[in-house]
């Protein structure tokens, strides 16, 4: 049976992927949760937790032993992601990972977003490694917007500089389910552009108004 490993197990995204793998019938003993600080990883019973610190390459090879498919959740430290991700890719190649899945950014190769270059560079590192790989290019998380709802409600307005620009957001849970589904599919190397239906800030304001009964504009 295949063994699946997910990095970032002490974060918000990886535990959701693990839950979806289990829900789709993967036995707990075939799932490995990887975390910089293993004690901080919150996972269901039966899941192995291993230390995998992007900044300590010596932890990575051991963490990836006997793993077949690896989901590399991108690091959160902007400016440090390329060397961190490269260390994981090198360890994955050393351990003979059968397939690498990378949590990238929506349209990473063309978007003008300032965080895109690190994702694009990581994709290049993975491609050059020769590892079979899938890029899961996630859009904006809905929670990035809904977590700010109390402030919108208090002010009665959403301040932004997007004009009529549209946001293709999706919930972490939906994107995590997509990642789990991809990890369980026997497929060639591929790129998935993953996002929800696009909306404007005016549409977001209207939705918040409708749900809460408090008028919010944008």
């Amino acid at each position: 049976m295949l063994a699946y490993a997910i990095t970032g197990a002490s974060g918000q995204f990886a535990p959701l992927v693990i839950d979806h793998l289990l829900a789709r019938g993967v036995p707990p003993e075939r799932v490995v949760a990887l975390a910089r600080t293993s004690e901080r990883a919150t996972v269901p019973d039966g899941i192995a937790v291993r230390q995998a610190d992007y900044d300590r390459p010596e932890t990575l090879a051991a963490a990836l032993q006997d793993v077949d498919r690896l989901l590399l959740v991108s690091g959160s430290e902007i400016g440090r992601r390329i060397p961190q991700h490269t260390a994981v890719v090198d360890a994955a190649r050393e351990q003979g990972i059968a397939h690498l899945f990378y949590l990238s950014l929506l349209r990473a190769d063309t978007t003008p977003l300032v965080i895109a270059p690190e994702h694009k560079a990581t994709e290049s590192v993975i491609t050059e490694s020769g590892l079979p790989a899938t890029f899961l290019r996630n859009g904006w998380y809905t929670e990035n917007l809904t977590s700010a709802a109390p402030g919108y409600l208090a002010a009665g307005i959403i301040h932004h500089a997007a004009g009529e620009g549209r946001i293709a957001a999706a919930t972490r849970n939906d994107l995590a389910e997509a990642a789990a589904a991809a990890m369980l599919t026997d497929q060639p190397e591929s790129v998935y552009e993953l996002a929800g239906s696009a909306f404007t800030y005016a549409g977001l304001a209207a939705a918040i108004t409708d749900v809460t009964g408090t008028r919010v504009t944008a």
Side-chain angles (χ1 to χ4, degrees), residues 69-73 97-105 122-123 126-127 129-138 178-194:
R69 297 184 180 183
L70 169 66
L71 172 60
L72 169 55
V73 177
I97 296 295
H99 202 106
L100 176 63
F101 299 81
Y102 173 58
L103 200 67
S104 189
L105 177 71
T122 298
E123 291 186 2
I126 294 170
T127 299
S129 76
L131 286 169
T134 296
F135 301 143
L136 304 169
R137 292 177 171 174
N138 282 359
M183 293 184 75
L184 293 173
T185 301
D186 292 323
Q187 59 191 355
E189 300 169 54
S190 52
V191 177
Y192 290 105
E193 304 285 356
L194 300 168

Side-chain angles (χ1 to χ4, degrees), residues 5-216:
I6 303 93
T7 70
S10 59
Q12 299 181 72
F13 191 84
L16 295 173
V17 178
I18 291 171
D19 287 343
H20 282 294
L21 288 174
L22 298 178
R24 288 171 177 262
V26 178
E29 61 271 18
R30 305 307 297 172
V31 179
V32 180
L34 306 177
R36 174 181 293 181
T37 306
S38 54
E39 295 79 8
R40 294 179 56 190
T42 302
V43 297
D45 291 340
I47 302 293
V49 179
R50 300 177 184 173
Q51 183 184 30
D53 188 337
Y54 296 171
D55 289 317
R56 297 177 58 207
E58 67 273 14
T59 68
L60 299 174
L64 297 180
Q65 285 184 351
D66 301 318
V67 168
D68 301 293
R69 297 184 180 183
L70 169 66
L71 172 60
L72 169 55
V73 177
S74 54
S76 60
E77 299 172 89
I78 296 174
R80 294 190 50 79
R81 286 169 167 163
I82 297 173
Q84 289 176 336
H85 297 167
T86 299
V88 179
V89 174
D90 288 345
R93 183 176 55 202
E94 177 185 335
Q95 291 300 316
I97 296 295
H99 202 106
L100 176 63
F101 299 81
Y102 173 58
L103 200 67
S104 189
L105 177 71
L106 187 66
R107 300 188 180 93
D109 53 343
T110 59
T111 178
L113 286 176
V114 296
I115 61 173
E118 288 182 303
H119 290 288
K120 182 178 179 180
T122 298
E123 291 186 2
S124 295
V125 167
I126 294 170
T127 299
E128 292 167 6
S129 76
L131 286 169
T134 296
F135 301 143
L136 304 169
R137 292 177 171 174
N138 282 359
W140 200 243
Y141 295 132
T142 305
E143 290 86 347
N144 293 339
L145 298 168
T146 56
S147 64
Y152 302 153
L153 291 166
I157 188 171
I158 301 175
H159 295 286
H160 65 92
E164 293 301 312
R166 302 174 71 81
I167 308 162
T171 66
R172 278 193 184 89
N173 189 59
D174 283 346
L175 293 170
E177 184 174 8
M183 293 184 75
L184 293 173
T185 301
D186 292 323
Q187 59 191 355
E189 300 169 54
S190 52
V191 177
Y192 290 105
E193 304 285 356
L194 300 168
S197 300
F199 55 87
T200 63
Y201 272 99
L204 174 63
I208 293 174
T209 298
D210 182 58
V211 169
T212 66
T214 299
R215 185 170 184 269
V216 175

